Amino acid sequence: MTTPVTTAALALGDDALVLSHRLGEWAGHAPVLEEEVALANIALDLLGQARVLLSLVGDEDELAYLREEREFRNLQLVEQPNGDFAHTVVRQLFFSVHQHLLHRRLATGGGPFAPLAAKAVKEVAYHRDHAERWTLRLGDGTEESHRRMRRACAALWRFTAEPFRPVEGVEVDWEALEAEWLEAVTGTLVRATLTVPEGPRSLDWAAGAGRQGIHTEPFGRMLAEMQHLHRSHPGASW
């Protein structure tokens, strides 16, 4: 039975699950060893959040590994490919600022997600700080790192409106959340000597699409990889 709580848990849980997998793809490929550990830790934090949220909906393994693409409710932002390291940093900045601001509200709202949010907000504060520090380091770094950060911002900007479309079961002031996000992200980009992209923050055909089960092309390939082992050996156990 679908309720507002399960609808919200599925959306937020899918966000965390999908981004966790994307960050996990950096294993063995991060630019430095320290970043290998940092990205793995962020991925594990997100995976833990996803497990708690998906458990509110049903069997977490079935939800992660046996659903079809159109049944996932994650934001299109989190499913975007890693690209180069600058692209990953910008994706993380856009999402972690949103998640941090959202969890701060949920933690004090007294609703069904308050206990999870109260714990997760501490983790997400680190995710946000990590992304902000790398944004400053790369944006105000070499000419090449600056160029790549600008390119990443321009590519991902169109996905930044969807996180603020209301989700049934999440009782927050979405307009205020979006305004605070825009102020925070703009401030970080300016400090990093980057400019806020001029393009629209959503496309008409894509606005809210991830929440409706409509995803971008890279998501299907990512999902096939994520689900391959479980589907190849159904019922297997360690």
Side-chain angles (χ1 to χ4, degrees):
M1 178 180 178
T2 302
T3 67
V5 171
T6 58
T7 297
L10 193 63
L12 300 182
D14 282 350
D15 287 345
L17 175 67
V18 171
L19 186 54
S20 173
H21 183 84
R22 279 299 191 205
L23 291 174
E25 292 175 343
W26 275 105
H29 302 284
V32 293
L33 182 59
E34 182 180 6
E35 214 38 42
E36 185 99 5
V37 175
L39 293 176
N41 283 333
I42 294 173
L44 288 172
D45 287 343
L46 291 168
L47 184 60
Q49 296 169 22
R51 293 190 63 186
V52 173
L53 287 162
L54 294 181
S55 293
L56 297 176
V57 182
D59 183 279
E60 60 187 83
D61 287 337
E62 291 184 4
L63 288 167
Y65 299 123
L66 297 179
R67 275 184 295 162
E68 300 298 329
E69 179 178 332
R70 290 296 298 268
E71 295 177 282
F72 279 80
R73 294 294 181 263
N74 58 278
L75 298 167
Q76 290 186 349
L77 173 64
V78 298
E79 69 193 35
Q80 297 311 302
N82 290 328
D84 61 19
F85 188 63
H87 198 276
T88 290
V89 166
V90 172
R91 184 188 62 196
Q92 193 64 41
L93 174 71
F94 290 167
F95 180 73
S96 62
V97 173
H98 157 70
Q99 196 184 34
H100 184 225
L101 297 177
L102 175 62
H103 278 62
R104 283 199 319 200
R105 286 164 167 78
L106 293 176
T108 59
F113 300 111
L116 166 67
K119 178 180 182 297
V121 73
K122 300 174 185 178
E123 300 172 342
V124 178
Y126 164 72
H127 304 172
R128 175 179 176 175
D129 179 68
H130 180 267
E132 288 177 342
R133 286 188 290 109
W134 269 109
T135 298
L136 296 174
R137 184 175 178 179
L138 296 177
D140 196 23
T142 66
E143 181 179 342
E144 177 66 11
S145 69
H146 180 87
R147 183 187 68 80
R148 291 189 181 214
M149 288 294 288
R150 289 193 63 179
R151 183 177 63 187
C153 287
L156 293 169
W157 192 246
R158 62 176 178 154
F159 298 107
T160 60
E162 185 183 6
F164 306 101
R165 294 176 66 87
V167 175
E168 184 183 16
V170 180
E171 303 299 329
V172 298
D173 184 336
W174 291 97
E175 290 187 6
L177 180 66
E178 183 172 17
E180 189 174 357
W181 178 90
L182 190 58
E183 181 181 5
V185 167
T186 298
T188 299
L189 293 181
V190 169
R191 285 188 292 133
T193 69
L194 297 165
T195 56
V196 175
E198 297 180 355
R201 290 181 48 231
S202 66
L203 300 177
D204 291 340
W205 62 267
R211 295 290 190 229
Q212 299 162 5
I214 301 173
H215 299 282
T216 55
E217 183 179 356
F219 181 64
R221 296 192 295 271
M222 189 217 81
L223 191 63
E225 179 182 280
M226 187 177 81
Q227 296 181 338
H228 172 72
L229 184 62
H230 187 92
R231 287 178 179 268
S232 298
H233 304 280
S237 59
W238 293 101

